[in-house]
């Protein structure tokens, strides 16, 4: 009986608590419902991106960072340069520049043999024309490098239009396709080399005496063998060669223009990215990208192939801006500069270290990701695919026609395109200020996205390809052809009431605020009385001059790192 009473009391208390339990449960359900209603829906605005550059299982280094999908509001037009309409390329010869017929000596023939990849050879071709003019000699169509690392059997006529080259420059330099026979036999010219950055006096003193005696001279390994500082008429001749006389052959132009057309069909605007992140490049740079022992072992193994390379301090290399940006870092920089995930990107690159794993963060940020291999068929590329120079020419055309050109390095292609895009209207050309961005990338998880993006925009002022960004005469002439950039007085006149002092005001502020960066970028290694840092394989400021190892005892290294 007592047991039944206890059981009755138990159930009675349970019945009293049941409504309270139900009420509490209902309140929790209502609270969860309200939270789900008022909280923002999950989307891509807080996408997490991680990358692991070849890390092994024991030391897995993962970079995690949140970025928005949109570029946000920008205080500038991200598709054009500020005040670009007030400047234009100009390279006509002055009336004081004699016609080639008046100064060319019939007993002087100059031949050159270029070296390196397509763009390094292009600099040699341009400078060869000027050297022939200095020596009052007839120029033989330059020989392209066919024996180096690239193993490309193409000659000049496979890449450039010979007849156009000869006829366009006929008033400046006499050019022939091959040396005439001497005494009924093939003429073998005397071979010699000239120092880097050799000026007019240098050519007169070193080459002319041999030319007067032998009558035919071939300058070997001819790249960057002419001074950046020449009189204006010779600088303008450089521009006539580089920007007008050198035209790709019709098959290259046709295929290149088709690639551009296909990019335009996909989007009104597109970015072209020249991405150099090959294993050999990274091994040479001596940089470390967080891939643990596996990365260190792989890159160390590659470096052993060149006995002349000394061991660099990876942290110091990075701190001094000497390391190419990773694909992820390029993507973050672009997003911070205002380019959203809807932007289409064409990527010109070789083998990327880490493969798809390295590219994954960039593709996540910019899913509209293309290359010539993805927008053209194997059959279409077959006539070019066995020749590195012709494939490089296709990339050159697509990059040149892009609305924005971006590079993670400062190699030959990046420099030549930077100069070309200045000449043809200052089209936006973004070069990373790696020295400043380095610290920002390291500490990005400790800042808000807004702060990160603001600092990127600040650091990149002066590195965007805008007019008067770099002082005249600074840096490689192929990258900064200041002698060939003129004021567009017609455009200024149309502005009417615009205060002329406002023209270029933004760029003046840029130069003043970032004078330190500019001086680091364009430092004194270009002075003729300084030891050429490129010959010693050293870097300069934020430049990545690893492609110019001319004094290396191992030519394969120099040739491989050129582009």
């Amino acid at each position: 009986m007592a047991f039944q009473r206890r059981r009755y009391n138990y159930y009675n208390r349970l019945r009293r608590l049941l409504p309270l339990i139900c009420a509490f449960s209902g309140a929790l359900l209502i609270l969860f419902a309200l939270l789900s209603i008022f909280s923002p829906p999950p989307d891509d605005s807080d996408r997490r991106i991680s990358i692991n550059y070849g890390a092994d299982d024991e030391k897995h280094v993962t970079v995690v960072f949140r970025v928005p999908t949109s570029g946000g509001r920008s205080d500038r037009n991200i598709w054009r340069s500020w005040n670009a309409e007030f400047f234009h390329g100009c390279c006509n010869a002055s009336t004081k520049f004699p016609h080639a017929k008046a100064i060319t000596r019939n007993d002087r023939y100059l031949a050159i043999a270029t070296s390196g990849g397509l763009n390094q050879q292009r600099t040699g071709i341009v400078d060869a024309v000027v050297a022939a003019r200095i020596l009052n000699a007839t120029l033989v169509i330059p020989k392209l490098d066919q024996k180096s690392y690239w193993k490309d059997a193409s000659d000049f006529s496979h890449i450039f239009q010979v007849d156009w080259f000869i006829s366009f420059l006929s008033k400046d330099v006499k050019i022939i396709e091959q040396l005439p026979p001497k005494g009924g036999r093939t003429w073998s010219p005397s071979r010699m080399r000239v120092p880097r950055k050799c000026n007019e006096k240098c050519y007169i003193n070193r080459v002319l005496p041999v030319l007067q005696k032998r009558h035919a001279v071939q300058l070997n390994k001819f790249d960057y063998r002419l001074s950046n500082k020449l009189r204006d008429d010779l600088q303008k001749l450089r521009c006539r060669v580089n920007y007008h006389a050198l035209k790709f052959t019709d098959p290259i132009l046709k295929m290149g223009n088709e690639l551009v057309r296909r990019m335009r069909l996909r989007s009104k605007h597109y970015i072209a990215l020249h991405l150099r992140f090959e294993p050999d490049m990274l091994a040479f740079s001596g940089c470390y990208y967080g891939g643990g022992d596996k990365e260190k072992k792989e890159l160390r193994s590659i470096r052993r192939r060149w006995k002349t390379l000394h061991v660099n301090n990876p942290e110091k290399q990075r701190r001094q801006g000497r390391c190419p940006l990773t694909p992820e870092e390029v993507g973050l920089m672009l997003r911070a500069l205002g380019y959203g995930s809807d932007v289409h990107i064409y990527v010109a690159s070789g083998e990327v270290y880490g493969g798809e794993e390295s590219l994954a963060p960039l593709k996540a940020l910019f899913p509209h990701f293309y290359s010539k291999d993805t927008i053209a068929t194997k059959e279409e590329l077959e006539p070019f695919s066995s020749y590195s120079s012709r494939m490089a020419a296709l990339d050159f055309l697509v990059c040149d026609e892009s609305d924005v050109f971006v590079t993670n390095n400062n190699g030959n292609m990046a420099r030549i395109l930077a100069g070309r895009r200045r000449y043809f209207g200052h089209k936006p050309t973004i070069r990373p200020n790696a020295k400043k961005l380095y610290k920002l990338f390291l500490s990005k998880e400790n800042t808000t996205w807004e702060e990160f993006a603001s600092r990127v925009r600040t650091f990149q002022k002066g590195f965007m390809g805008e007019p008067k960004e770099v002082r005249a005469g600074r840096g490689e002439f192929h990258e900064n052809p200041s002698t060939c950039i003129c004021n567009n007085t017609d455009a200024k006149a149309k502005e009417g009431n615009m205060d002329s002092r406002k023209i270029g005001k933004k760029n003046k502020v840029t130069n003043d605020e970032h004078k330190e960066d500019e001086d680091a970028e364009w430092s004194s290694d270009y002075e003729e009385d300084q030891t050429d840092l490129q010959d010693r394989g050293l870097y300069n400021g934020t430049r990545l001059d690893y492609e110019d190892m001319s004094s290396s005892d191992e030519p394969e290294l120099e040739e491989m790192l050129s582009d």
Side-chain angles (χ1 to χ4, degrees):
M1 199 67 178
F3 174 78
Q4 290 180 347
R5 280 199 303 270
R6 286 196 300 270
R7 188 170 62 178
Y8 173 82
N9 292 336
Y10 173 80
Y11 284 116
N12 189 38
R13 286 195 299 270
L14 186 61
R15 282 197 300 270
R16 292 175 184 175
L17 290 173
L18 191 60
L20 293 175
I21 295 172
C22 292
F24 181 76
S25 301
L28 286 176
L29 289 174
I30 293 172
L31 179 61
F32 287 135
L34 290 174
L35 288 173
S36 65
I37 291 172
F38 291 109
S39 63
D43 58 16
D44 288 339
S45 63
D46 285 332
R47 177 188 292 136
R48 289 181 178 269
I49 296 179
S50 62
I51 187 167
N52 170 15
Y53 295 101
D56 56 17
D57 294 334
E58 294 179 2
K59 292 187 178 181
H60 187 85
V61 180
T62 304
V63 179
V64 180
F65 191 52
R66 297 181 178 182
V67 295
T69 56
S70 69
R73 294 184 179 180
S74 178
D75 58 353
R76 67 182 183 89
N77 185 338
I78 62 175
W79 298 112
R80 67 185 301 272
S81 295
W82 179 268
N83 282 340
E85 65 272 22
F86 298 114
F87 302 90
H88 69 280
C90 54
C91 65
N92 290 335
S94 70
T95 55
K96 297 180 180 180
F97 197 66
H99 194 288
K101 290 182 180 179
I103 56 99
T104 303
R105 297 289 299 268
N106 293 329
D107 59 347
R108 298 179 188 174
Y109 295 94
L110 179 67
I112 68 150
T114 61
S115 67
L118 173 65
N119 296 289
Q120 184 168 322
Q121 293 184 86
R122 188 185 185 107
T123 64
I125 295 168
V126 171
D127 290 348
V129 174
V130 181
R133 175 77 191 200
I134 292 172
L135 297 167
N136 296 334
T138 296
L139 178 67
V140 182
I141 287 290
K143 295 180 180 180
L144 300 191
D145 187 351
Q146 298 178 338
K147 299 179 180 180
S148 70
Y149 171 87
W150 302 102
K151 300 293 188 294
D152 189 330
S154 301
D155 60 30
F156 190 99
S157 63
H158 292 126
I159 308 295
F160 303 107
Q161 297 181 24
V162 175
D163 291 341
W164 172 263
F165 183 74
I166 294 174
S167 63
F168 186 89
L169 296 171
S170 59
K171 294 181 180 180
D172 301 309
V173 174
K174 182 180 178 181
I175 304 175
I176 58 177
E177 294 193 42
Q178 58 186 9
L179 279 171
K182 183 179 181 180
R185 295 180 298 177
T186 302
W187 198 351
S188 179
S190 299
R191 288 170 169 77
M192 61 180 298
R193 289 177 65 174
V194 293
R196 290 237 166 168
K197 311 295 171 56
C198 193
N199 57 22
E200 285 184 75
K201 185 177 179 180
C202 171
Y203 276 89
I204 297 299
N205 292 338
R206 290 173 178 263
V207 183
L208 185 57
V210 181
L211 195 58
Q212 290 173 325
K213 182 178 181 180
R214 302 290 185 179
H215 304 298
V217 170
Q218 176 173 304
L219 302 179
N220 289 331
K221 211 165 186 57
F222 197 81
D223 58 335
Y224 296 100
R225 303 291 165 176
L226 185 62
S227 171
N228 281 299
K229 296 185 177 182
L230 301 172
R231 50 191 167 93
D232 285 357
D233 272 332
L234 294 179
Q235 298 287 50
K236 286 181 179 290
L237 175 56
R238 262 177 163 163
C239 294
R240 289 197 292 278
V241 181
N242 200 1
Y243 307 134
H244 299 284
L246 283 175
K247 280 189 176 181
F248 290 121
T249 58
D250 288 338
I252 291 174
L253 285 175
K254 183 179 179 181
M255 188 68 236
N257 291 335
E258 177 61 20
L259 295 175
V260 173
R261 188 187 73 84
R262 293 176 188 180
M263 288 300 298
R264 295 286 181 210
L265 287 176
R266 289 167 167 80
S267 178
K268 180 180 179 181
H269 302 291
Y270 75 90
I271 291 175
L273 167 61
H274 182 225
L275 182 66
R276 297 212 68 180
F277 207 67
E278 303 96 327
D280 297 302
M281 180 65 65
L282 301 187
F284 174 74
S285 71
C287 300
Y288 174 66
Y289 291 93
D293 290 339
K294 180 181 179 183
E295 176 190 317
K296 293 177 181 178
K297 182 178 179 180
E298 290 175 347
L299 298 186
R300 190 185 304 120
S301 175
I302 296 174
R303 287 177 64 85
R304 288 198 189 102
R305 299 199 318 234
W306 305 295
K307 298 177 182 178
T308 58
L309 286 184
H310 62 277
V311 178
N312 293 324
N313 182 330
E315 176 64 23
K316 183 178 179 181
Q317 295 291 98
R318 188 86 159 153
R319 187 171 60 250
Q320 295 182 349
R322 298 173 178 177
C323 298
L325 265 61
T326 68
E328 180 188 27
E329 289 169 345
V330 173
L332 293 174
M333 177 185 71
L334 289 176
R335 183 58 47 80
L337 291 174
Y339 300 96
S341 61
D342 58 335
V343 169
H344 289 59
I345 291 186
Y346 176 92
V347 178
S349 70
E351 176 192 359
V352 174
Y353 180 65
E356 285 300 314
E357 188 176 6
S358 292
L359 291 173
L362 178 60
K363 289 184 175 181
L365 286 164
F366 295 96
H368 303 290
F369 185 98
Y370 307 98
S371 68
K372 58 181 174 292
D373 297 310
T374 62
I375 60 176
T377 65
K378 288 184 178 180
E379 290 73 21
E380 288 175 316
L381 294 176
E382 194 274 333
F384 314 94
S385 58
S386 298
Y387 306 94
S388 60
S389 292
R390 300 180 209 184
M391 292 290 273
L394 296 179
D395 280 335
F396 186 98
L397 287 168
V398 183
C399 290
D400 186 36
E401 290 296 322
S402 65
D403 299 280
V404 176
F405 174 63
V406 185
T407 176
N408 75 327
N409 67 92
N410 204 37
N412 290 298
M413 181 171 171
R415 288 204 293 262
I416 288 178
L417 276 173
R420 184 178 180 86
R421 291 170 70 86
R422 290 182 198 278
Y423 182 85
F424 288 108
H426 285 89
K427 294 188 289 185
T429 302
I430 301 174
R431 300 170 297 125
N433 184 354
K435 193 173 183 178
K436 288 293 185 66
L437 292 177
Y438 152 72
K439 294 180 181 178
L440 189 57
F441 286 133
L442 280 183
S443 61
K444 61 183 181 293
E445 285 90 356
N446 299 323
T447 62
T448 64
W449 170 257
E450 290 73 20
E451 181 182 356
F452 174 86
S454 175
R455 293 179 69 186
V456 168
R457 290 191 292 270
T458 298
F459 293 157
Q460 282 301 120
K461 289 179 181 178
F463 292 79
M464 303 295 287
E466 295 184 342
K468 296 192 178 294
E469 206 174 58
V470 181
R471 292 199 300 272
R474 302 290 281 179
E476 288 285 353
F477 185 79
H478 300 291
E479 184 175 9
N480 182 32
S482 53
T483 308
C484 304
I485 306 295
C486 298
N487 292 332
N488 191 341
T489 53
D490 292 338
K492 290 183 180 180
K494 291 178 182 178
E495 288 296 306
N497 297 327
M498 175 178 283
D499 183 352
S500 62
R501 289 174 298 177
K502 293 182 180 179
I503 297 174
K505 180 179 179 182
K506 180 176 180 180
N507 294 296
K508 184 179 185 301
V509 173
T510 294
N511 287 337
D512 291 342
E513 290 179 350
H514 300 275
K515 185 176 184 296
E516 179 184 350
D517 288 336
E518 182 184 302
D519 288 343
E521 178 77 8
W522 311 97
S523 67
S524 61
D525 79 88
Y526 296 106
E527 301 295 331
E528 297 306 319
D529 58 349
Q530 296 290 323
T531 301
D532 191 339
L533 295 184
Q534 291 181 346
D535 275 347
R536 292 189 287 137
L538 300 181
Y539 302 86
N540 173 26
T542 59
R543 301 179 67 81
L544 303 177
D545 288 333
Y546 33 64
E547 70 285 352
D548 294 321
M549 291 286 294
S550 68
S551 65
S552 171
D553 293 330
E554 302 174 70
E556 183 186 5
L557 172 62
E558 173 190 348
E559 294 152 354
M560 180 197 65
L561 296 174
S562 69
D563 59 4

